[in-house]
Amino acid sequence: MSVHFGRLVGSLFCVFSVASISTASAQVTLHLTTPQQTTCTVTTDANGLSLVPGTTDLQATGVTFSGNACSGVAPPTPANFALSAPATVSTGSAFSVSWNVTGATACAGAATLAGNPTTLAGWTDSTSATPPRSVTAPVDGTYVLTLVCSNTGGLVTSTPATVVASTGNGDNCINPANRLTTSNIAYVPSAGTRQGVSLTSWDNIWGNSTATDTTVAWPGRHDSQPSILQFDRNKYIAAKIVVPVGQGPSYGWIVHTEYNYGLDLTTSISTTCGDFNPVNPLCKTVATSGMNLTPWRVGGSNFCPLLPGQTYYFNIEATDPAQGTTTCAASSPTCVIGTSNNFSP
């Protein structure tokens, strides 16, 4: 094969080095690069490059080509395209993700959960370039989705989309916009930090005692001492409690610790998400530092009574959202709230 290199056209430019163009007799490689950073590598045979007599054109023989840009196909557009996805979804229920890319023949999805790579049905197992996709989050948490769309000319990558999956999105809360659904959680003493934890379930908060252990269902772990790192003083937490059928007599409470104190808390246990005025006065506590937060009991008359097989919400809010303390200035929109799980048996 013989190839002539005249004026370079389109968006390609080349970089090459030849000791003497008119007499080159060694193999030459040219790297052609587009503004989209796709490349076409042109390699000659041992004769290299030479000038076509009487012209300024370069001539090469025995040429081989490799690289996406050699196809002459423009890569997809635009670069850094946006993904359209809901900010919050219900765990286990399908949600739609769309995008707008021209010229792609395949699109591969990737996802992380709490900062670690994960799989998502309908997203990471598909290469379809046609939107939308129906995606399902299998567990609670904060997912970050990205998409790479490609053709023979190159590829483009989306900007990330963050989706918070929660079993609590169907909880019919009072003032649902004021419900705090996620936060990073650190475990005392020095047991690591979990990122983007769903606060909609008791299990997710007090069912762990380190950043890497397995979550234990209500009433959780005896040694769980989680500090909620981004407690929004103007929002509330509603952590769902599911009391197992057949649960025997038991009792317990959450201590609001003096370390990572944050601010005074009002708590309640109610069958309604976000309800801070339960009928039973035993099910509400206005606490200060070091106090127990709404003690509960299964099978007994004192403490807030819970029934096996029933669903409740452990609701937490700032007693005074404008309060400033030694561990959280009044000007700070969020506070660190230390807690400790206690129950028997």
Side-chain angles (χ1 to χ4, degrees):
M1 176 185 292
S2 176
V3 176
H4 286 217
F5 296 91
R7 181 184 303 169
L8 292 175
V9 297
S11 58
L12 292 173
F13 66 91
C14 69
V15 178
F16 60 91
S17 176
V18 180
S20 174
I21 290 178
S22 62
T23 60
S25 59
Q27 188 179 64
V28 175
T29 299
L30 292 84
H31 300 286
L32 310 177
T33 306
T34 72
Q36 293 82 14
Q37 299 304 307
T38 59
T39 61
C40 177
T41 299
V42 182
T43 305
T44 73
D45 61 13
N47 292 322
L49 296 171
S50 62
L51 282 172
V52 177
T55 74
T56 58
D57 291 347
L58 290 173
Q59 176 178 263
T61 59
V63 173
T64 60
F65 298 89
S66 63
N68 289 336
C70 298
S71 67
V73 175
T77 57
N80 301 317
F81 60 94
L83 296 175
S84 177
T88 59
V89 299
S90 295
T91 302
S93 297
F95 61 95
S96 180
V97 183
S98 296
W99 62 93
N100 187 9
V101 170
T102 301
T105 57
C107 292
T112 62
L113 172 59
N116 299 309
T118 191
T119 58
L120 276 179
W123 187 250
T124 57
D125 56 358
S126 174
T127 58
S128 172
T130 304
R133 289 188 190 175
S134 181
V135 184
T136 302
V139 297
D140 289 2
T142 299
Y143 294 83
V144 177
L145 280 57
T146 54
L147 192 68
V148 176
C149 291
S150 61
N151 61 20
T152 57
L155 55 84
V156 289
T157 303
S158 74
T159 55
T162 300
V163 177
V164 177
S166 170
T167 53
N169 286 325
D171 288 338
N172 297 320
C173 298
I174 297 173
N175 296 322
N178 289 339
R179 186 185 190 186
L180 180 63
T181 58
T182 59
S183 174
N184 297 340
I185 290 182
Y187 293 90
V188 178
S190 302
T193 300
R194 291 166 64 211
Q195 306 291 324
V197 178
S198 172
L199 303 179
T200 61
S201 168
W202 175 290
D203 304 353
N204 290 339
I205 305 173
W206 294 285
N208 298 86
S209 56
T210 74
T212 58
D213 58 11
T214 302
T215 300
V216 174
W218 181 91
R221 292 182 178 269
H222 284 90
D223 57 347
S224 179
Q225 299 180 63
S227 290
I228 300 167
L229 300 185
Q230 292 93 23
F231 180 83
D232 190 321
R233 61 171 67 239
N234 294 306
K235 293 189 175 184
Y236 69 85
I237 294 173
K240 183 185 288 186
I241 297 170
V242 179
V243 182
V245 175
Q247 173 70 43
S250 55
Y251 62 91
W253 53 83
I254 299 297
V255 173
H256 181 197
T257 61
E258 293 189 23
Y259 63 84
N260 292 337
Y261 167 55
L263 69 173
D264 294 342
L265 299 176
T266 295
T267 61
S268 69
I269 298 178
S270 173
T271 56
T272 301
C273 174
D275 173 24
F276 288 92
N277 293 291
V279 174
N280 189 335
L282 294 176
C283 295
K284 179 177 180 178
T285 302
V286 180
T288 57
S289 175
M291 287 183 62
N292 300 336
L293 303 177
T294 312
W296 55 266
R297 180 182 290 275
V298 178
S301 57
N302 59 338
F303 297 169
C304 181
L306 306 183
L307 298 177
Q310 298 297 307
T311 297
Y312 301 90
Y313 295 90
F314 184 61
N315 301 303
I316 310 172
E317 68 176 358
T319 301
D320 176 9
Q323 180 186 16
T325 69
T326 56
T327 62
C328 188
S331 59
S332 175
T334 64
C335 301
V336 177
I337 300 296
T339 66
S340 178
N341 192 18
N342 296 267
F343 62 91
S344 180

